[in-house]
Amino acid sequence: QVQLVESGGGLVQAGDSLRLSCKASGPSLSRYSVGWFRQAPGKEREFVAAISRSGGNTGYADSVKGRFAISRDSTRNTWFLQMNSLHPDDTAVYYCAAKSQILTAPLPMADHEYNVWGQGTQVTVFS
């Protein structure tokens, strides 16, 4: 059973940066595409970014393009979300999620496509 643990959240000022980490454990991790989602108070969970199992394909929500970057370190079974130029609208609980896929599958960008979830990490941005 694959498990995910997020870390790196915190309280930061607008304009600052944070890097979230998603540490995975379990079998066959190389088969998994990984996504980041977030949920703000009173709002639905929304897609932020995703990276394919090969690492060769990434996707971003329009609201974070040019500010956030998803990456991975396969040797450490860890995925990252680098968040730059943060603003208060980025305040949310951030979750990483994983989906086992074949190499030719499209990049999953909807939460219902993922079947493994972490517990979340809080990011709070104040102005």
Side-chain angles (χ1 to χ4, degrees), residues 20-124:
L20 305 184
S21 299
C22 175
K23 173 71 173 177
S25 60
S28 305
L29 293 176
S30 63
R31 298 179 181 177
Y32 285 80
S33 296
V34 169
W36 285 95
F37 292 80
R38 66 187 182 186
Q39 187 166 22
K43 295 187 177 181
E44 293 186 354
R45 186 164 57 191
E46 65 175 358
F47 170 77
V48 175
I51 186 166
S52 62
R53 58 172 279 185
S54 70
N57 189 20
T58 57
Y60 296 91
D62 288 343
S63 59
V64 306
K65 278 181 183 176
R67 299 190 298 124
F68 290 12
I70 189 170
S71 63
R72 67 174 191 174
D73 182 343
S74 299
T75 64
R76 294 161 55 190
N77 294 329
T78 303
W79 287 258
F80 303 98
L81 184 68
Q82 178 67 42
M83 306 187 295
N84 300 323
S85 302
L86 284 162
H87 52 69
D89 287 347
D90 295 316
T91 295
V93 177
Y94 283 72
Y95 300 90
C96 66
K99 174 182 173 61
S100 179
Q101 293 188 294
I102 60 174
L103 275 174
T104 55
L107 188 67
M109 298 172 73
D111 58 359
H112 69 265
E113 298 184 84
Y114 290 85
N115 56 353
V116 183
W117 290 83
Q119 83 290 348
T121 185
Q122 176 70 47
V123 172
T124 303

